[in-house]
Amino acid sequence: MVRVEVDLRKGLQEIWELLADDEQNELLRGAIYQGFRRGEFIYNVNDESSYLIVVLRGRVKLEKFGVGGRVQIVRMFRPCEFFGYRSFFAGEVHSSVAIAMEQTHVACVPMMVIENICQRNAALAMYFVRALAIDLGHSEQRQVNLTQKHIRGRIADSLVFLSDKYGFEGDDRTLNVQLSRDELASLSNMNTSNAIRTLAAFADEGIVELDGRRIKILDKQKLKRINITG
């Protein structure tokens, strides 16, 4: 229990610094710790929004269903990031699906606890206002990228996003996250066949090297140019 509490403090570091000792203890007392295997749902569409979910280990994706049941990845999370609070503050049920991308451990902090602390802690309340505003800005930019860029630009945008989000392995080239072609297509707002063809073209041009789900970026500057020009 001591280890997971340490992980929770680390995962909520920015928030933790805004809390008094009694508020920190309130969060610790209310937290529930859970583990999920790859592909398991953390929550589903229309589930009640009750918890702030902190990723302690592993990776999580949020998916939304569009026209004809088409799935799109709208957000991705790594350790020390948290999600699940927007729907609560909006007074809504969850409109997306949260899925573990690999073996994942999370801490679930009751949103009622968060709300009670916000009512007496203005700094924490403003933190969530800023977080929601930043998320909205990122979502708007991502929407523009996925609707106005050509197919090559969308794949490049996703690869740059993944490198910024998860970084690289020890060789400073291989993305430190592994996605299926379906997941990469979903992230890039295109069908799987187009994603496969575009990745193959990037490989032929020496921009990337492919090894199953592992993607090595060979020419970062060219990839960024494609991302910028769309």
Side-chain angles (χ1 to χ4, degrees):
M1 182 61 70
V2 172
R3 174 62 186 273
V4 292
E5 288 185 359
V6 170
D7 287 344
L8 178 56
R9 290 188 181 97
K10 183 178 179 182
L12 292 176
Q13 183 174 357
E14 291 185 351
I15 287 178
W16 210 256
E17 296 172 353
L18 304 175
L19 303 178
D21 290 346
D22 61 324
E23 293 169 339
Q24 293 174 357
N25 290 330
E26 194 174 348
L27 286 188
L28 289 174
R29 287 195 302 270
I32 300 170
Y33 302 94
Q34 293 182 285
F36 297 90
R37 296 187 300 272
R38 175 180 171 83
E40 282 195 303
F41 287 7
I42 297 173
Y43 61 70
N44 208 335
V45 175
N46 294 325
D47 284 352
E48 184 178 356
S49 178
S50 302
Y51 294 97
L52 175 77
I53 301 173
V54 188
V55 182
L56 305 179
R57 296 182 185 83
R59 297 177 175 90
V60 176
K61 62 181 177 178
L62 295 190
E63 293 183 343
K64 291 182 74 74
F65 296 96
V67 177
R70 183 176 176 180
V71 176
Q72 183 169 347
I73 297 176
V74 292
R75 300 286 301 281
M76 298 174 71
F77 301 96
R78 61 189 177 192
C80 298
E81 293 186 330
F82 50 86
F83 61 97
Y85 57 91
R86 187 207 64 80
S87 298
F88 177 86
F89 285 131
E92 302 171 350
V93 294
H94 287 301
S95 60
S96 59
V97 180
I99 304 173
M101 299 175 64
E102 57 188 50
Q103 186 69 36
T104 297
H105 292 86
V106 303
C108 303
V109 179
M111 281 303 302
M112 289 301 298
V113 172
I114 297 292
E115 183 179 48
N116 289 337
I117 296 175
C118 283
Q119 289 175 347
R120 59 181 188 269
N121 186 327
L124 181 62
M126 284 304 302
Y127 175 89
F128 281 106
V129 170
R130 284 193 296 270
L132 289 168
I134 291 170
D135 285 347
L136 177 60
H138 289 168
S139 296
E140 290 174 346
Q141 184 59 54
R142 184 77 177 148
Q143 181 181 20
V144 170
N145 291 346
L146 294 181
T147 55
Q148 296 189 4
K149 288 185 177 182
H150 297 295
I151 289 175
R152 285 171 61 87
R154 293 182 203 175
I155 287 290
D157 183 84
S158 291
L159 294 178
V160 170
F161 165 79
L162 291 171
S163 66
D164 290 342
K165 184 78 172 180
Y166 296 107
F168 297 95
E169 295 182 5
D171 61 1
D172 197 35
R173 289 188 173 187
T174 304
L175 291 175
N176 194 28
V177 61
Q178 297 181 26
L179 272 66
S180 69
R181 297 298 183 261
D182 287 339
E183 288 174 323
L184 184 59
S186 176
L187 182 64
S188 306
N189 190 31
M190 64 176 67
N191 61 49
T192 304
S193 60
N194 281 339
I196 292 173
R197 283 196 296 269
T198 305
L199 273 180
F202 280 7
D204 290 341
E205 296 168 31
I207 300 172
V208 302
E209 180 180 301
L210 307 175
D211 180 13
R213 294 188 178 191
R214 294 165 64 86
I215 300 177
K216 181 182 292 187
I217 310 298
L218 301 179
D219 193 333
K220 296 178 183 178
Q221 294 306 314
K222 188 171 183 179
L223 185 67
K224 289 180 179 179
R225 285 198 299 272
I226 296 172
N227 182 35
I228 292 171
T229 59

Coordinates of all heavy atoms in Angstrom, one line a residue, residues 103-168:
Q103 N -0.7 -4.1 -19.9 CA -1.0 -4.2 -18.5 C -0.9 -2.9 -17.8 O 0.1 -2.2 -17.9 CB 0.1 -5.2 -17.9 CG -0.2 -5.6 -16.5 CD -1.4 -6.4 -16.3 OE1 -1.7 -7.3 -17.1 NE2 -2.1 -6.3 -15.2
T104 N -2.0 -2.5 -17.2 CA -2.1 -1.1 -16.7 C -2.6 -1.1 -15.2 O -3.5 -1.9 -14.9 CB -3.0 -0.3 -17.6 OG1 -2.5 -0.2 -18.9 CG2 -3.3 1.1 -17.0
H105 N -2.1 -0.2 -14.4 CA -2.6 0.0 -13.0 C -3.0 1.4 -12.9 O -2.3 2.3 -13.3 CB -1.5 -0.4 -12.0 CG -1.2 -1.9 -12.0 ND1 -0.2 -2.4 -12.8 CD2 -1.7 -2.9 -11.2 CE1 -0.2 -3.7 -12.6 NE2 -1.0 -4.0 -11.6
V106 N -4.1 1.6 -12.3 CA -4.7 2.9 -12.1 C -5.1 3.1 -10.6 O -5.3 2.2 -9.9 CB -5.8 3.2 -13.0 CG1 -5.5 3.0 -14.5 CG2 -7.1 2.4 -12.7
A107 N -5.2 4.4 -10.2 CA -5.8 4.8 -9.0 C -7.1 5.6 -9.3 O -7.0 6.5 -10.2 CB -4.9 5.6 -8.1
C108 N -8.2 5.2 -8.7 CA -9.5 5.9 -9.0 C -9.8 6.7 -7.7 O -10.1 6.2 -6.7 CB -10.6 4.8 -9.2 SG -10.2 3.7 -10.6
V109 N -9.8 8.0 -7.9 CA -10.1 8.9 -6.8 C -11.6 9.4 -7.0 O -11.9 10.0 -8.0 CB -9.2 10.1 -6.8 CG1 -9.5 11.1 -5.6 CG2 -7.7 9.7 -6.7
P110 N -12.4 9.3 -6.0 CA -13.8 9.7 -6.2 C -13.9 11.2 -6.5 O -13.3 12.0 -5.9 CB -14.5 9.4 -4.8 CG -13.6 8.3 -4.2 CD -12.2 8.6 -4.7
M111 N -14.7 11.5 -7.6 CA -14.8 12.9 -8.0 C -15.6 13.7 -6.9 O -15.4 14.9 -6.9 CB -15.5 12.9 -9.3 CG -14.7 12.7 -10.5 SD -13.2 13.8 -10.7 CE -14.0 15.4 -10.7
M112 N -16.4 13.1 -6.1 CA -17.1 13.8 -5.1 C -16.0 14.3 -4.1 O -16.2 15.4 -3.5 CB -18.1 12.9 -4.3 CG -19.3 12.5 -5.1 SD -20.2 14.0 -5.6 CE -20.7 14.7 -4.0
V113 N -15.0 13.6 -3.8 CA -13.9 14.1 -3.0 C -13.2 15.3 -3.7 O -12.9 16.3 -3.0 CB -12.8 13.0 -2.7 CG1 -11.6 13.5 -2.0 CG2 -13.5 11.8 -1.9
I114 N -12.9 15.1 -5.0 CA -12.3 16.2 -5.7 C -13.2 17.5 -5.7 O -12.7 18.6 -5.4 CB -12.0 15.8 -7.2 CG1 -11.0 14.7 -7.3 CG2 -11.5 17.0 -8.0 CD1 -9.6 15.0 -6.8
E115 N -14.5 17.3 -5.9 CA -15.4 18.4 -5.9 C -15.4 19.1 -4.5 O -15.4 20.3 -4.4 CB -16.8 18.0 -6.3 CG -17.8 19.1 -6.4 CD -19.2 18.6 -6.8 OE1 -19.7 17.6 -6.3 OE2 -19.8 19.2 -7.7
N116 N -15.5 18.3 -3.5 CA -15.6 18.9 -2.1 C -14.3 19.7 -1.8 O -14.4 20.8 -1.2 CB -15.7 17.8 -1.1 CG -17.1 17.1 -1.1 OD1 -18.1 17.7 -1.6 ND2 -17.2 15.9 -0.7
I117 N -13.1 19.2 -2.2 CA -11.9 20.0 -2.0 C -11.9 21.2 -2.9 O -11.5 22.3 -2.4 CB -10.7 19.1 -2.3 CG1 -10.6 17.9 -1.3 CG2 -9.4 19.9 -2.2 CD1 -9.5 16.9 -1.6
C118 N -12.4 21.2 -4.1 CA -12.4 22.3 -5.0 C -13.3 23.5 -4.4 O -13.0 24.6 -4.6 CB -12.9 22.0 -6.4 SG -11.8 21.1 -7.4
Q119 N -14.3 23.1 -3.7 CA -15.2 24.1 -3.1 C -14.6 24.9 -2.0 O -15.0 26.0 -1.7 CB -16.5 23.4 -2.6 CG -17.4 22.9 -3.7 CD -18.6 22.1 -3.2 OE1 -18.6 21.7 -2.0 NE2 -19.5 21.8 -4.0
R120 N -13.5 24.4 -1.4 CA -12.8 25.2 -0.4 C -11.4 25.5 -0.7 O -10.7 26.1 0.0 CB -12.9 24.4 0.9 CG -12.3 23.0 0.9 CD -12.4 22.4 2.3 NE -11.7 21.1 2.4 CZ -12.1 19.9 2.1 NH1 -13.4 19.8 1.7 NH2 -11.4 18.8 2.3
N121 N -10.9 25.0 -1.9 CA -9.5 25.2 -2.3 C -9.6 25.8 -3.7 O -9.6 25.1 -4.8 CB -8.8 23.9 -2.3 CG -7.3 24.1 -2.6 OD1 -6.9 24.9 -3.4 ND2 -6.5 23.2 -2.1
A122 N -9.5 27.2 -3.8 CA -9.6 27.9 -5.1 C -8.5 27.5 -6.0 O -8.7 27.5 -7.3 CB -9.6 29.4 -4.8
A123 N -7.3 27.3 -5.5 CA -6.1 26.9 -6.4 C -6.4 25.6 -7.1 O -6.1 25.5 -8.3 CB -4.9 26.8 -5.5
L124 N -7.0 24.6 -6.4 CA -7.3 23.4 -7.1 C -8.4 23.6 -8.1 O -8.3 23.0 -9.2 CB -7.7 22.3 -6.1 CG -8.0 20.9 -6.6 CD1 -6.8 20.3 -7.3 CD2 -8.6 20.0 -5.6
A125 N -9.4 24.3 -7.8 CA -10.5 24.6 -8.8 C -9.9 25.3 -10.0 O -10.3 24.9 -11.1 CB -11.5 25.5 -8.1
M126 N -9.0 26.2 -9.9 CA -8.4 26.9 -11.0 C -7.5 26.0 -11.8 O -7.4 26.1 -13.0 CB -7.7 28.1 -10.6 CG -8.5 29.3 -10.2 SD -9.6 29.8 -11.6 CE -8.5 30.1 -12.9
Y127 N -6.9 25.0 -11.1 CA -6.1 24.0 -11.8 C -6.9 23.3 -12.8 O -6.5 23.1 -14.0 CB -5.5 23.1 -10.8 CG -4.7 21.9 -11.5 CD1 -3.3 22.1 -11.8 CD2 -5.3 20.8 -11.9 CE1 -2.6 21.1 -12.5 CE2 -4.6 19.7 -12.5 CZ -3.3 19.9 -12.8 OH -2.6 18.9 -13.5
F128 N -8.1 22.8 -12.4 CA -9.0 22.1 -13.3 C -9.6 22.9 -14.4 O -9.7 22.5 -15.6 CB -10.1 21.4 -12.5 CG -9.7 20.1 -11.9 CD1 -9.5 20.1 -10.5 CD2 -9.4 19.0 -12.6 CE1 -9.0 18.9 -9.9 CE2 -9.0 17.8 -12.0 CZ -8.8 17.8 -10.6
V129 N -9.8 24.2 -14.1 CA -10.3 25.1 -15.2 C -9.2 25.2 -16.3 O -9.5 25.2 -17.5 CB -10.6 26.5 -14.6 CG1 -10.8 27.5 -15.7 CG2 -11.8 26.5 -13.7
R130 N -8.0 25.4 -15.8 CA -6.9 25.5 -16.8 C -6.7 24.2 -17.6 O -6.4 24.2 -18.8 CB -5.6 25.9 -16.1 CG -5.5 27.4 -15.7 CD -4.1 27.8 -15.3 NE -3.6 27.0 -14.1 CZ -3.8 27.4 -12.8 NH1 -4.4 28.6 -12.6 NH2 -3.4 26.7 -11.8
A131 N -6.8 23.1 -16.9 CA -6.6 21.8 -17.5 C -7.6 21.6 -18.6 O -7.3 21.1 -19.7 CB -6.6 20.7 -16.5
L132 N -8.9 21.9 -18.3 CA -9.9 21.8 -19.3 C -9.7 22.7 -20.5 O -10.0 22.3 -21.6 CB -11.3 22.0 -18.6 CG -11.8 20.9 -17.6 CD1 -13.0 21.4 -16.8 CD2 -12.1 19.6 -18.4
A133 N -9.3 23.9 -20.2 CA -9.0 24.9 -21.3 C -7.9 24.4 -22.2 O -8.0 24.5 -23.4 CB -8.7 26.2 -20.7
I134 N -6.8 23.9 -21.6 CA -5.7 23.3 -22.4 C -6.2 22.1 -23.2 O -5.8 22.0 -24.4 CB -4.5 23.0 -21.5 CG1 -3.9 24.2 -20.9 CG2 -3.5 22.2 -22.2 CD1 -2.9 24.0 -19.7
D135 N -6.9 21.2 -22.6 CA -7.4 20.1 -23.3 C -8.3 20.5 -24.5 O -8.2 19.9 -25.6 CB -8.2 19.2 -22.4 CG -7.3 18.4 -21.4 OD1 -6.1 18.4 -21.7 OD2 -7.9 17.8 -20.5
L136 N -9.1 21.5 -24.3 CA -10.0 22.0 -25.4 C -9.1 22.5 -26.5 O -9.4 22.2 -27.7 CB -10.9 23.1 -24.9 CG -11.8 23.7 -25.9 CD1 -12.7 22.7 -26.5 CD2 -12.7 24.8 -25.3
G137 N -8.1 23.3 -26.2 CA -7.2 23.8 -27.3 C -6.5 22.7 -28.1 O -6.5 22.8 -29.3
H138 N -6.0 21.7 -27.3 CA -5.4 20.5 -28.0 C -6.4 19.8 -28.9 O -6.0 19.4 -30.0 CB -4.8 19.6 -27.0 CG -3.6 20.1 -26.3 ND1 -3.1 19.6 -25.1 CD2 -2.8 21.2 -26.5 CE1 -2.0 20.3 -24.8 NE2 -1.8 21.3 -25.6
S139 N -7.6 19.6 -28.4 CA -8.6 18.9 -29.2 C -9.0 19.6 -30.4 O -9.2 19.0 -31.5 CB -9.9 18.7 -28.3 OG -9.6 17.8 -27.2
E140 N -9.1 21.0 -30.3 CA -9.4 21.8 -31.5 C -8.3 21.7 -32.6 O -8.6 21.5 -33.8 CB -9.6 23.2 -31.1 CG -10.9 23.4 -30.3 CD -11.1 24.9 -29.8 OE1 -10.0 25.6 -29.9 OE2 -12.2 25.3 -29.4
Q141 N -7.0 21.7 -32.1 CA -5.9 21.6 -33.1 C -5.9 20.2 -33.7 O -5.6 20.1 -34.9 CB -4.6 21.9 -32.4 CG -3.4 21.9 -33.3 CD -3.6 23.0 -34.4 OE1 -3.8 24.1 -34.2 NE2 -3.4 22.5 -35.7
R142 N -6.1 19.2 -32.9 CA -6.1 17.9 -33.4 C -7.2 17.7 -34.4 O -7.0 17.0 -35.4 CB -6.3 16.9 -32.2 CG -6.2 15.4 -32.6 CD -4.8 15.0 -32.8 NE -4.7 13.6 -33.0 CZ -3.8 13.0 -33.8 NH1 -2.9 13.7 -34.4 NH2 -3.8 11.7 -34.0
Q143 N -8.4 18.2 -34.2 CA -9.5 18.1 -35.1 C -9.1 18.7 -36.5 O -9.4 18.2 -37.5 CB -10.7 18.8 -34.5 CG -12.0 18.7 -35.5 CD -13.2 19.4 -34.9 OE1 -13.1 20.2 -34.0 NE2 -14.3 19.0 -35.4
V144 N -8.5 19.9 -36.4 CA -8.1 20.6 -37.7 C -7.0 19.7 -38.4 O -7.1 19.5 -39.6 CB -7.4 21.9 -37.4 CG1 -6.7 22.5 -38.6 CG2 -8.5 22.9 -36.9
N145 N -6.1 19.1 -37.7 CA -5.1 18.3 -38.3 C -5.7 17.1 -39.0 O -5.2 16.7 -40.1 CB -4.1 17.8 -37.2 CG -3.2 18.9 -36.7 OD1 -3.1 20.0 -37.3 ND2 -2.5 18.7 -35.6
L146 N -6.7 16.5 -38.3 CA -7.2 15.2 -38.9 C -8.3 15.4 -39.9 O -8.7 14.5 -40.6 CB -7.8 14.4 -37.7 CG -6.9 13.9 -36.6 CD1 -7.6 13.1 -35.6 CD2 -5.8 13.0 -37.3
T147 N -8.7 16.6 -40.1 CA -9.7 16.9 -41.2 C -9.2 17.6 -42.4 O -9.7 17.5 -43.5 CB -10.9 17.7 -40.6 OG1 -10.4 18.9 -40.0 CG2 -11.7 16.9 -39.6
Q148 N -8.1 18.4 -42.2 CA -7.6 19.2 -43.3 C -6.3 18.7 -43.9 O -6.0 19.0 -45.0 CB -7.3 20.7 -42.8 CG -8.6 21.4 -42.4 CD -8.4 22.8 -42.1 OE1 -7.3 23.4 -42.3 NE2 -9.4 23.5 -41.6
K149 N -5.6 17.8 -43.2 CA -4.4 17.3 -43.7 C -4.7 16.1 -44.7 O -5.7 15.4 -44.5 CB -3.4 16.8 -42.6 CG -2.8 17.9 -41.9 CD -1.8 17.4 -40.8 CE -1.1 18.6 -40.1 NZ 0.0 18.2 -39.2
H150 N -3.8 15.9 -45.6 CA -3.9 14.7 -46.5 C -3.4 13.5 -45.7 O -3.0 13.6 -44.6 CB -3.0 14.9 -47.7 CG -3.5 16.0 -48.6 ND1 -4.7 16.0 -49.3 CD2 -2.9 17.2 -48.9 CE1 -4.8 17.1 -49.9 NE2 -3.7 17.8 -49.8
I151 N -3.6 12.3 -46.3 CA -3.3 11.0 -45.6 C -1.9 11.0 -45.1 O -1.6 10.6 -43.9 CB -3.6 9.8 -46.5 CG1 -5.1 9.7 -46.7 CG2 -3.0 8.5 -45.9 CD1 -5.5 8.6 -47.7
R152 N -0.9 11.4 -45.9 CA 0.5 11.4 -45.4 C 0.7 12.3 -44.2 O 1.4 12.0 -43.3 CB 1.4 11.8 -46.6 CG 1.6 10.7 -47.6 CD 2.4 11.2 -48.8 NE 3.7 11.7 -48.5 CZ 4.8 11.0 -48.5 NH1 4.7 9.7 -48.7 NH2 6.0 11.5 -48.2
G153 N 0.0 13.5 -44.3 CA 0.2 14.4 -43.2 C -0.5 13.9 -41.9 O 0.0 14.2 -40.8
R154 N -1.5 13.1 -42.0 CA -2.2 12.6 -40.8 C -1.3 11.5 -40.2 O -1.2 11.5 -38.9 CB -3.5 12.0 -41.2 CG -4.6 13.0 -41.7 CD -5.9 12.3 -42.0 NE -6.7 13.0 -42.9 CZ -7.9 12.6 -43.4 NH1 -8.3 11.4 -43.1 NH2 -8.5 13.3 -44.3
I155 N -0.7 10.6 -41.0 CA 0.1 9.6 -40.4 C 1.4 10.3 -39.8 O 1.8 9.9 -38.7 CB 0.6 8.6 -41.5 CG1 -0.6 7.7 -41.8 CG2 1.8 7.8 -41.0 CD1 -1.0 6.7 -40.7
A156 N 1.9 11.3 -40.5 CA 3.1 12.0 -39.9 C 2.7 12.7 -38.6 O 3.5 12.7 -37.6 CB 3.6 13.0 -40.9
D157 N 1.5 13.3 -38.6 CA 1.1 14.0 -37.4 C 0.9 13.0 -36.2 O 1.3 13.3 -35.1 CB -0.3 14.6 -37.6 CG -0.8 15.4 -36.5 OD1 -0.4 16.6 -36.3 OD2 -1.6 14.8 -35.7
S158 N 0.4 11.8 -36.5 CA 0.3 10.8 -35.4 C 1.6 10.3 -34.9 O 1.8 10.1 -33.7 CB -0.6 9.6 -36.0 OG -1.9 10.0 -36.2
L159 N 2.6 10.1 -35.8 CA 3.9 9.6 -35.4 C 4.6 10.7 -34.6 O 5.3 10.4 -33.6 CB 4.7 9.2 -36.6 CG 4.2 8.0 -37.4 CD1 5.1 7.8 -38.6 CD2 4.1 6.8 -36.6
V160 N 4.5 11.9 -35.0 CA 5.1 13.0 -34.2 C 4.4 13.1 -32.8 O 5.1 13.3 -31.8 CB 5.0 14.4 -34.9 CG1 5.4 15.5 -34.0 CG2 5.8 14.4 -36.2
F161 N 3.1 13.0 -32.8 CA 2.3 13.0 -31.6 C 2.8 11.9 -30.6 O 3.0 12.1 -29.5 CB 0.8 12.8 -31.9 CG 0.0 12.5 -30.7 CD1 -0.4 13.4 -29.7 CD2 -0.4 11.1 -30.5 CE1 -1.1 13.1 -28.6 CE2 -1.2 10.8 -29.3 CZ -1.5 11.8 -28.4
L162 N 3.0 10.7 -31.2 CA 3.4 9.5 -30.4 C 4.8 9.7 -29.8 O 5.1 9.4 -28.7 CB 3.3 8.2 -31.2 CG 1.9 7.8 -31.5 CD1 1.9 6.6 -32.5 CD2 1.1 7.4 -30.3
S163 N 5.7 10.3 -30.7 CA 7.1 10.6 -30.2 C 7.1 11.6 -29.1 O 7.8 11.5 -28.1 CB 7.9 11.0 -31.4 OG 7.5 12.2 -31.9
D164 N 6.2 12.6 -29.2 CA 6.2 13.7 -28.2 C 5.5 13.1 -26.9 O 6.0 13.5 -25.8 CB 5.3 14.9 -28.7 CG 6.0 15.7 -29.8 OD1 7.3 15.5 -29.9 OD2 5.4 16.4 -30.5
K165 N 4.6 12.2 -27.1 CA 3.8 11.7 -25.9 C 4.6 10.7 -25.2 O 4.7 10.7 -23.9 CB 2.5 11.1 -26.4 CG 1.6 10.6 -25.4 CD 0.8 11.7 -24.7 CE -0.3 11.3 -23.8 NZ -1.0 12.4 -23.2
Y166 N 5.2 9.7 -25.9 CA 5.8 8.6 -25.2 C 7.4 8.5 -25.4 O 8.0 7.7 -24.7 CB 5.2 7.3 -25.8 CG 3.8 7.1 -25.5 CD1 2.8 7.3 -26.5 CD2 3.3 6.9 -24.2 CE1 1.4 7.2 -26.2 CE2 2.0 6.7 -23.9 CZ 1.0 6.9 -24.9 OH -0.3 6.8 -24.6
G167 N 7.9 9.4 -26.2 CA 9.4 9.4 -26.4 C 9.9 8.1 -27.1 O 9.1 7.4 -27.8
F168 N 11.2 7.9 -27.0 CA 11.8 6.8 -27.7 C 12.5 5.8 -26.8 O 12.7 6.1 -25.6 CB 12.9 7.4 -28.7 CG 12.3 8.3 -29.8 CD1 12.3 9.7 -29.6 CD2 11.8 7.8 -30.9 CE1 11.8 10.5 -30.6 CE2 11.3 8.6 -31.9 CZ 11.2 9.9 -31.7

